[in-house]
Amino acid sequence: MATTRIIPLHAGKGRTVGKAISDIIDYVKNPEKTDHGRLITSYQCDSRVADAQFLLDKQTYAARTGRVRGADDVIAYHLRQSFVPGEITPEEANRLGVELARRFTKGKHAFIVCTHIDKSHTHNHIIWNSTTLECDRKFRNFWGSTRAVHRLSDTICIENGYSIVEAPKRRGQSYNKWLGDAVKPSHKEQLRQAIDRALAQKPASLEELLRLLEQDGFTVHRRGKTISIGAEGWGNNVRFDRLGDGYTLGDLLAVLSGQKEHTPRKQPAVPAAPPKVNLLVDIQAKLQAGKGAGYARWAKVFNLKQMAQTLNYLSEHGLLDYADLEAKTAEATACYNALSDQIKAAEKRMAEIAVLRTHIVNYAKTRDTYVAYRKAGYSKKFRQEHEEEILLHQAAKEAFNELNVKKLPTIKELQTEYAQLLADKKKAYGEYRQARAAMRELLTVKNNVDRVLSFEAGKQIEKERDQKQNR
């Protein structure tokens, strides 16, 4: 489940465009939040000098189009994408963030994705340049862009097997409310539930209803004819009129007088998950760790259910021979590892192509400036006037050395290779998800069978030992 928000970035008062870009990029690249930079991915830019490249693209845009930037001009866009705690790994969140940014900008804008792990919920910060890669257009935020990026994020989550927020409100909803049933009910909902419990005891009057609420831990506050309810830890009290239909003071008085019947609010039914095979519980180990007899009774029933599901799985898949189960598990594991390696190799090469393409473009853009810098005897004044271009040129040369590039490929060759890798990766990822689910289930089933077989073998050895002692 992911939530999203787009924030346009402006220079603001007292800051240059370059300073504004470097400030936000420095914040999202914070090494303490990105596992020392490991969770940073860039597209069509080098994360080390992304601020300089963004600024150079804007200067090129102004020179090509002749358009003068206004004080309220958007220099970049900041997209936040948050995931429910514990549902996704930081690496997977970063990958989904890159896919979201690439698809939303249609690959026409340079961007950087930084995954932060300093909060309980893993979240992405995505910064993309408002200027296109060709420096001839700009991204303009459009009516409904928030809904569009949210739908795209949901689509990507569904494609990758993660949950989404069902029927979200467009605005005014806190992060906790997006978590649904996983979060504690609101104060109003807690009070509605307490009223339901109190009315179930058939109070004869309003005073008796209020007394039952007080016994349930609530505090009744009166101010003239107004009655509000509070509880320990609540910042503000809640009036009956704020609880909605069926819970207003008038509705409650009508129920207490017998004029109408109270109908508690129905909670949305959560569909039951299909039964799946889980690992057996080691009852003895848990008892030694301090679990009581009640736990032992529950665990025995749980283990019986899991063994029944394990046997059903073995029967349905024709794996009644242990050697077949072992071979099938090894085959599923090998298939999963092979697909995982294939996807990682494709992603690594795609990242290399994106960086290489960016540096080739930057190298060509800044070559004349760097030649002039060299002819000027590496003048400090010249460098100060053209610092962004010189930094990008030097970063490009360093990248070519790191990638061991002797002859620069053409942009068209790189784009063709990238498109093929992307198509192969999409195909492999669908197979990868199925292989992962199959492998996990087989490993669980095999583990359960191994536990039972080792237990039975132990019982047989103990029985033979007792027989020898009795002779």
Side-chain angles (χ1 to χ4, degrees):
M1 174 173 67
T3 63
T4 52
R5 183 187 177 192
I6 298 178
I7 308 169
L9 300 175
H10 305 268
K13 294 182 179 179
R15 290 194 307 179
T16 63
V17 173
K19 175 65 173 171
I21 295 173
S22 62
D23 283 350
I24 185 61
I25 290 182
D26 287 345
Y27 166 73
V28 300
K29 285 169 53 181
N30 187 335
E32 294 181 359
K33 299 181 179 183
T34 58
D35 194 12
H36 305 288
R38 187 177 64 85
L39 298 172
I40 298 176
T41 304
S42 56
Y43 172 78
Q44 303 296 350
C45 65
D46 188 327
S47 61
R48 297 170 296 182
V49 289
D51 51 351
Q53 183 175 336
F54 281 21
L55 184 57
L56 178 62
D57 288 347
K58 295 186 181 306
Q59 294 171 350
T60 305
Y61 169 82
R64 284 186 180 179
T65 64
R67 295 170 188 159
V68 180
R69 202 171 41 237
D72 60 344
D73 186 65
V74 178
I75 58 177
Y77 289 88
H78 181 188
L79 172 60
R80 289 200 306 232
Q81 182 187 30
S82 300
F83 299 90
V84 71
E87 187 183 50
I88 193 170
T89 63
E91 295 80 8
E92 186 74 353
N94 186 266
R95 188 185 68 79
L96 295 190
V98 171
E99 187 170 354
L100 172 62
R102 182 182 55 77
R103 288 168 65 171
F104 188 66
T105 64
K106 296 180 173 61
K108 296 180 179 179
H109 297 258
F111 62 77
I112 179 171
V113 179
C114 301
T115 303
H116 285 193
I117 54 176
D118 58 316
K119 304 291 185 183
S120 60
H121 59 285
T122 301
H123 57 284
N124 289 326
H125 290 273
I126 304 170
I127 309 293
W128 75 82
N129 194 356
S130 61
T131 305
T132 62
L133 295 170
E134 303 301 327
C135 301
D136 58 348
R137 293 178 180 275
K138 281 195 169 185
F139 181 96
R140 295 296 182 188
N141 210 7
F142 54 91
W143 181 262
S145 61
T146 299
R147 182 186 300 178
V149 75
H150 179 71
R151 285 180 175 176
L152 178 58
S153 178
D154 281 356
T155 300
I156 293 172
C157 286
I158 292 171
E159 289 174 352
N160 291 274
Y162 296 102
S163 60
I164 64 170
V165 179
E166 297 290 348
K169 290 185 179 179
R170 292 181 62 186
R171 292 195 179 191
Q173 196 172 30
S174 68
Y175 178 75
N176 279 346
K177 288 184 179 179
W178 284 67
L179 296 181
D181 295 336
V183 77
K184 187 178 180 180
S186 67
H187 295 166
K188 290 181 181 179
E189 185 57 33
Q190 291 178 45
L191 182 53
R192 281 191 287 262
Q193 292 174 4
I195 292 172
D196 292 340
R197 292 193 296 269
L199 291 176
Q201 299 181 46
K202 305 296 183 182
S205 64
L206 178 62
E207 293 301 323
E208 189 175 347
L209 172 65
L210 297 177
R211 182 177 57 79
L212 290 172
L213 290 176
E214 288 180 332
Q215 292 177 359
D216 207 358
F218 293 89
T219 306
V220 178
H221 300 271
R222 299 175 185 269
R223 188 173 182 178
K225 294 183 179 180
T226 303
I227 301 175
S228 59
I229 308 297
E232 185 178 356
W234 289 14
N236 298 312
N237 301 325
V238 179
R239 289 162 47 183
F240 288 111
D241 294 342
R242 299 289 179 87
L243 296 178
D245 293 341
Y247 294 89
T248 65
L249 188 58
D251 290 332
L252 294 176
L253 289 174
V255 170
L256 293 170
S257 64
Q259 296 177 12
K260 64 182 295 188
E261 187 176 345
H262 178 68
T263 304
R265 282 196 178 187
K266 290 184 179 180
Q267 297 298 318
V270 179
K276 102 178 161 174
V277 182
N278 290 305
L279 287 171
L280 297 177
V281 174
D282 189 339
I283 300 176
Q284 293 303 319
K286 294 293 184 181
L287 292 178
Q288 291 173 7
K291 296 289 186 180
Y295 176 85
R297 288 193 296 272
W298 170 86
K300 288 176 181 177
V301 174
F302 174 84
N303 281 353
L304 286 172
K305 290 181 178 178
Q306 294 312 311
M307 277 313 303
Q309 292 178 10
T310 299
L311 290 172
N312 286 338
Y313 181 91
L314 294 172
S315 178
E316 289 173 2
H317 293 81
L319 299 174
L320 299 178
D321 188 287
Y322 184 80
D324 293 339
L325 173 61
E326 199 170 29
K328 191 71 174 179
T329 304
E331 179 186 343
T333 303
C335 178
Y336 166 79
N337 291 333
L339 288 168
S340 178
D341 292 343
Q342 180 183 341
I343 291 171
K344 287 178 181 177
E347 289 177 342
K348 181 181 178 183
R349 180 54 186 161
M350 288 167 68
E352 288 177 355
I353 290 173
V355 170
L356 184 57
R357 182 191 183 282
T358 299
H359 285 302
I360 290 174
V361 172
N362 289 343
Y363 185 82
K365 284 181 180 178
T366 59
R367 181 167 47 196
D368 292 342
T369 302
Y370 196 82
V371 169
Y373 174 54
R374 193 170 59 228
K375 288 180 179 179
Y378 301 103
S379 163
K380 290 184 179 179
K381 182 181 178 182
F382 188 95
R383 181 183 180 92
Q384 188 175 4
E385 293 173 349
H386 303 86
E387 187 170 11
E388 289 83 11
E389 294 96 323
I390 292 170
L391 284 173
L392 289 174
H393 194 84
Q394 291 175 338
K397 293 172 73 174
E398 289 176 9
F400 297 153
N401 292 332
E402 290 174 4
L403 295 172
N404 197 27
V405 176
K406 302 300 181 183
K407 181 182 178 182
L408 295 181
T410 65
I411 297 298
K412 186 175 181 180
E413 290 172 347
L414 291 177
Q415 289 176 335
T416 301
E417 184 182 357
Y418 189 96
Q420 185 59 51
L421 286 167
L422 181 61
D424 294 342
K425 178 193 160 188
K426 284 184 176 179
K427 180 182 177 182
Y429 203 81
E431 299 172 2
Y432 165 84
R433 289 199 302 271
Q434 295 177 359
R436 180 178 59 187
M439 179 195 69
R440 287 176 176 173
E441 195 159 26
L442 278 164
L443 286 172
T444 302
V445 169
K446 184 176 179 298
N447 187 287
N448 288 346
V449 172
D450 288 342
R451 284 279 304 278
V452 172
L453 291 178
S454 63
F455 179 73
E456 292 297 332
K459 285 179 64 178
Q460 182 63 28
I461 293 172
E462 187 177 344
K463 182 179 180 181
E464 293 176 355
R465 189 190 311 122
D466 291 342
Q467 289 176 349
K468 288 181 180 179
Q469 290 176 353
N470 292 333
R471 286 174 182 170

